[in-house]
Amino acid sequence: MTMQAASTEIASRTAAIIDEMKGLEGPLLPILHSIQEEFGYVPKDALPVIADGLNLSRAEVHGVVSFYHDFRAKPAGRHVLKLCQAEACQSMGSDVVAAKVKQLLGIGFHETTRDGSVTLEPVYCLGLCACSPSAMLDGEVIGRLDDEKIGEIVAEVRS
Ligand code: FES
């Protein structure tokens, strides 16, 4: 697909989502979530379509997308690993865990390994504070991260 065709495709799929959801109260966030579900990220080409559809400025839409950590600007890798960085996990060493994972994978937060195997993201509380430090791998929560579990997770996303 040419770039032009891809951006037309994104615009038309985005317009269909907006049509379906713009009647909701406070439609911007649900629309952005649906777009991320549809494409796996929020494409840049979708932003002007959303702004026009909801009568907002492009800056407003861009501001919301960049404010929320949930929205990705690029497609994710085959696995998505989220490391909790909220308070309870912080107090149990989540920054040390994050540093180790980053070193093992060779990427930082909001990055994807070059082979496309994994995207690393911070998350702010997974509701698993009693078992901190916690993570989520492809939607499954993992508690009490230690060196062994980190090694297993990294091996799994690399396989
Ligand atoms: S603070 Fe990490 S799970 Fe709640």
Side-chain angles (χ1 to χ4, degrees), residues 25-40:
E25 204 174 310
L28 180 55
L29 283 178
I31 285 172
L32 288 170
H33 279 291
S34 277
I35 288 171
Q36 177 145 299
E37 229 165 80
E38 174 92 5
F39 300 105

Side-chain angles (χ1 to χ4, degrees), residues 84 86 88-89 125-129 134:
C84 182
C89 287
C125 198
L126 292 163
L128 205 66
C129 314
S134 314

Side-chain angles (χ1 to χ4, degrees), residues 18 22 46-58 61:
I18 294 169
K22 72 175 170 206
L47 301 185
V49 184
I50 300 170
D52 289 350
L54 297 183
N55 248 332
L56 298 168
S57 72
R58 291 179 189 198
V61 177

Side-chain angles (χ1 to χ4, degrees), residues 1 18 31 64 67 78 82 93 101-102 104 106 114 118 133:
M1 203 186 298
I18 294 169
I31 285 172
V64 170
F67 179 77
R78 289 190 295 285
K82 297 178 187 242
V101 173
K102 286 176 186 174
L104 289 168
R114 217 184 281 182
V118 58

Side-chain angles (χ1 to χ4, degrees), residues 99-151:
K100 262 184 208 155
V101 173
K102 286 176 186 174
Q103 193 199 2
L104 289 168
L105 294 176
I107 53 172
F109 280 136
H110 305 292
E111 291 178 1
T112 300
T113 50
R114 217 184 281 182
D115 64 359
S117 62
V118 58
T119 298
L120 186 63
E121 293 176 344
V123 67
Y124 295 89
C125 198
L126 292 163
L128 205 66
C129 314
C131 302
S132 25
S134 314
M136 183 182 261
L137 177 60
D138 300 332
E140 288 205 12
V141 286
I142 305 163
R144 299 201 173 89
L145 290 174
D146 54 17
D147 282 351
E148 196 183 328
K149 283 194 188 166
I150 292 171

